[in-house]
Amino acid sequence: MEHQQPEPWIWWKHGVIYHIYPRSFMDSNGDGVGDIQGIISKLNYLSDLGVDGIWLSPVFLSPMVDFGYDVSDYREIDPVYGTMDDFKMLIDKAHGLGIRVISDMILNHTSDQHPWFLESMASKENPKRNWYIWKDGNKSGPPNNWKTTVGGSAWELDETTGQYYCHSFFKEQPDLNWRNPALSEAFFTEVKFWLDIGVDGFRLDVINFIVKDKKFRNNPYFFGIPVFQRHIFTRNRPKSHKIVRELRKLVDQYDNRVIVGEIYTLPPGNSKIAASYLSNGSGMHMAFDFSLIFRHWSARKYYECINDGYRYIPEKGWPCNVLSNHDLFRSIDRFPWRHNKVEKAKVAAALLLTLKGTPFIYYGEEIGMRNAKIKYRDIQDPLGKRFWPFFSGRDKARTPMQWNSGKNTGFTAGNPWLPVNADALKRNVENQEKDKNSILNFYRMLIKIHKSHIALQQGRWVPLIAGQHGILAFARIHNEERIVVVLNFTGRKKRIFLAEHNFGCVLFSTHRKYEEIFYFQNLWIFPFEVSVYKA
Ligand code: NOJ
């Protein structure tokens, strides 16, 4: 095997990134909503955890119909989160600790209160009319059959001008018209504004939605059933790749910046489509495909999904891995059965932190935060309000970060915007810091190992046991450094034979002692064991 020159360390590629939902992380001023100063006060916690970057869900000025994913000014910080000075302070202090800051960036839509949309609404002749997608209706109503992701038609009638505008989400989130060069130029200026301020990159919200069919053709249906629309003409249009490549060119004018995009597909978890946005090194640096999130708890299924995903990553692309986010359920509660949840969460975390690709941790995942039970009167998420009682919305994975056993779990001195989880008295950072077997210390240890082993950061991924009998084992190899990871997805003891490697020295294990040596030829694996060896 040819000797690989190690790449210089690239923070977004070789580091670990932590996703913060700012409303819920830490409140500094007692208004019950998390804010930027709150995040600053917890930077030491993040530094001790060992993360190299944070991604903040949006903190721009917003009417908060969709809690910041409806932006009314891309150059302002919403007062609920603080000021521009707070944001700059966050960047400075985070950088001082070696932590980069990724901002969300929402290209698909703005708020209906954004001045661009107010102008666009004003008249058909307004110069900004075509910055959004306007269309005459047909005889029976909206221009075509396009549906939103939140239920109902994607078209809203504007009584004044008699035309419809397109919105992929709520009607308060009109879609921008990326076929209009004037809009793309204006938007890129907003992006540049943040690059100049010093953000280290962007997470691109539903970036595969941004271009719609030029001919406004009707979408077909899955199985001919109108509720299941196949978004052929509303997502992944070829031009969306082109726009991402233009954005990449802009970002590349600055040092060490990153773009990572959310690629939401139906059914979810389409690695092939996600990887297409990497454009072999000239598109996004990474794409969330969510494939692991939608997998059943089975070593075999996880293996297939991981292996499949890697096949699509182009030579100059890079994978990223994620277990949960602010739109989905808490990962620990997706694992089946009520027992052994923490053990399963540790197996999943070990996978996240040893696979090839950048790990993204969703706040609270590192202490095993659970889905909250949200009562109707407490629902904040517009999706929950709309679909109750069939779907209670996304609030259950957005409850306050559980810091300690004090009032409101240390999150706020006021009334939290969402109730604190019932288990916060027990399950919190302060308690877990004291417990050497806690999931928090498990994350810390594995992040440390990730940081100190080039094979885990840059190495090839070589599957050794492809999920048979509930075991997933693989090696990460970079020149002489070989790390072997063995994970038991089951609650039963198993025996393994690894022909490729003779023995390994324990770097980290849930069941074995540090630096003990084991032969891989006939090794008993304990229930839900996680072991990482140097081989
Ligand atoms: C995806 C975001 O993650 C979600 O929270 C938001 O509601 C939609 N995009 C619309 O921006």
Side-chain angles (χ1 to χ4, degrees), residues 66 69 109 169 173 203 205-206 262 326-327 394 398:
D66 192 13
Y69 285 96
H109 48 267
F169 294 90
Q173 295 166 293
R203 173 267 189 185
D205 189 62
V206 288
E262 178 197 28
H326 63 292
D327 292 329
R394 300 166 290 182
R398 296 177 174 179

Side-chain angles (χ1 to χ4, degrees), residues 235-481:
R235 297 182 193 166
N236 303 306
R237 303 306 297 160
K239 195 174 162 103
S240 49
H241 292 80
K242 189 164 169 255
I243 292 164
V244 169
R245 286 196 295 271
E246 281 165 15
L247 184 62
R248 172 66 182 267
K249 277 194 202 135
L250 170 63
V251 167
D252 277 353
Q253 291 170 16
Y254 296 75
D255 282 344
N256 286 323
R257 312 295 164 102
V258 67
I259 46 176
V260 48
E262 178 197 28
I263 305 299
Y264 182 71
T265 54
L266 267 180
N270 190 321
S271 313
K272 187 174 177 189
I273 294 182
S276 71
Y277 283 88
L278 304 178
S279 296
N280 198 21
S282 56
M284 303 185 306
H285 297 85
M286 297 178 286
F288 293 119
D289 68 4
F290 306 117
S291 55
L292 272 183
I293 291 181
F294 293 96
R295 231 33 58 175
H296 291 296
W297 183 252
S298 134
R300 183 81 202 165
K301 292 256 178 317
Y302 270 58
Y303 164 78
E304 283 164 3
C305 153
I306 295 159
N307 208 41
D308 255 24
Y310 287 156
R311 280 195 305 136
Y312 297 117
I313 301 287
E315 202 192 325
K316 294 189 182 145
W318 187 250
C320 63
N321 301 305
V322 61
L323 298 176
S324 55
N325 70 24
H326 63 292
D327 292 329
L328 302 161
F329 293 167
R330 287 275 174 193
S331 54
I332 194 163
D333 280 326
R334 282 199 317 270
F335 307 138
W337 318 121
R338 282 185 26 222
H339 47 272
N340 300 122
K341 279 199 185 271
V342 171
E343 287 74 9
K344 287 172 195 159
K346 286 180 174 173
V347 172
L351 196 62
L352 179 75
L353 294 163
T354 57
L355 278 178
K356 180 172 176 182
T358 306
F360 280 75
I361 301 169
Y362 181 50
Y363 88 93
E365 193 175 284
E366 76 279 20
I367 54 167
M369 265 178 72
R370 304 291 171 96
N371 285 331
K373 290 196 177 56
I374 305 286
K375 298 196 182 92
Y376 178 71
R377 62 161 194 266
D378 292 326
I379 294 182
Q380 299 288 335
D381 179 19
L383 267 183
K385 288 184 180 160
R386 180 173 283 191
F387 291 111
W388 176 269
F390 306 104
F391 174 56
S392 59
R394 300 166 290 182
D395 296 327
K396 52 166 65 97
R398 296 177 174 179
T399 52
M401 176 67 180
Q402 296 167 199
W403 294 108
N404 56 41
S405 311
K407 189 183 167 214
N408 294 324
T409 192
F411 164 72
T412 180
N415 288 325
W417 76 288
L418 274 175
V420 164
N421 271 12
D423 64 0
L425 266 185
K426 270 193 357 230
R427 186 172 293 114
N428 60 53
V429 170
E430 193 180 60
N431 284 351
Q432 294 200 14
E433 277 179 334
K434 290 183 237 154
D435 170 5
K436 74 174 184 3
N437 292 321
S438 67
I439 182 159
L440 176 60
N441 280 320
F442 182 93
Y443 267 85
R444 283 184 174 165
M445 279 303 298
L446 273 173
I447 294 175
K448 220 182 227 164
I449 289 172
H450 185 277
K451 266 187 153 40
S452 49
H453 291 88
I454 195 167
L456 288 179
Q457 296 168 19
Q458 306 190 11
R460 288 180 291 128
W461 186 73
V462 182
L464 301 173
I465 300 178
Q468 291 92 338
H469 310 293
I471 301 284
L472 183 55
F474 54 88
R476 297 290 312 282
I477 301 177
H478 190 276
N479 295 332
E480 292 74 34
E481 187 169 272

